[in-house]
Amino acid sequence: MNERQRARRPGGRSARVGAEVHQAVTDLISERGYGHFTVSEVAARAGVADSSIYRRWGNLETLLTDVALTRLNARSPMPDTGSLAGDLRTYAAQVAREITGPDGLALVRLAVALSSNGEQGLQAGEDLRAERTRQLQSMLDRARDRGEHAPDAFDVLDHILAPMYIRVLFGMVPLTPDYIDGLVDRLL
């Protein structure tokens, strides 16, 4: 096996380093909030060199975007239940569990901070929104292909996700199943 094949091996050192860096970022956001740590502090916490982070992610905002997207994709994947109502209920419940979980507030604060922190932050926030909107659109397109009437992706953001994020940001939790189902029902 040559070096190039070894570097691509899933679950190898690269995956472990990525997971350690992601956890270091999540921990630092939980402890200090966004904007109160550096790449060097992330590297030290993860036990890697600064250069490893710069080589893989380029800058802190790109790393933070990757952390947010990876967490969202792993813990709140786009469901395919066979109906739009089922997909939206499942997706909303997944998001609610994620943003009210142990690191949930840190993730919400990260998403907000990325969207409002200078030019690089604005780009990182846009990248995060664009990827999540693309994923939502795939769920909505599937529903349309089944002959269901599907709202616009931004309507899902406005009527389901935004209210949950606001409640978490302002400490208005828990997000009960009845509340989440009500958001979906009002949208549909």
Side-chain angles (χ1 to χ4, degrees), residues 3 10 35 44 60 94-95 113 116 125 171 183:
E3 284 300 311
L60 186 58
Q94 290 170 346
V95 171
S116 59
L183 292 174

Side-chain angles (χ1 to χ4, degrees), residues 7-30:
R8 291 184 190 166
R9 186 183 71 222
R13 183 178 186 283
S14 180
R16 183 181 49 77
V17 167
E20 289 169 356
V21 169
H22 278 215
Q23 189 59 53
V25 167
T26 301
D27 292 346
L28 286 165
I29 291 170
S30 293

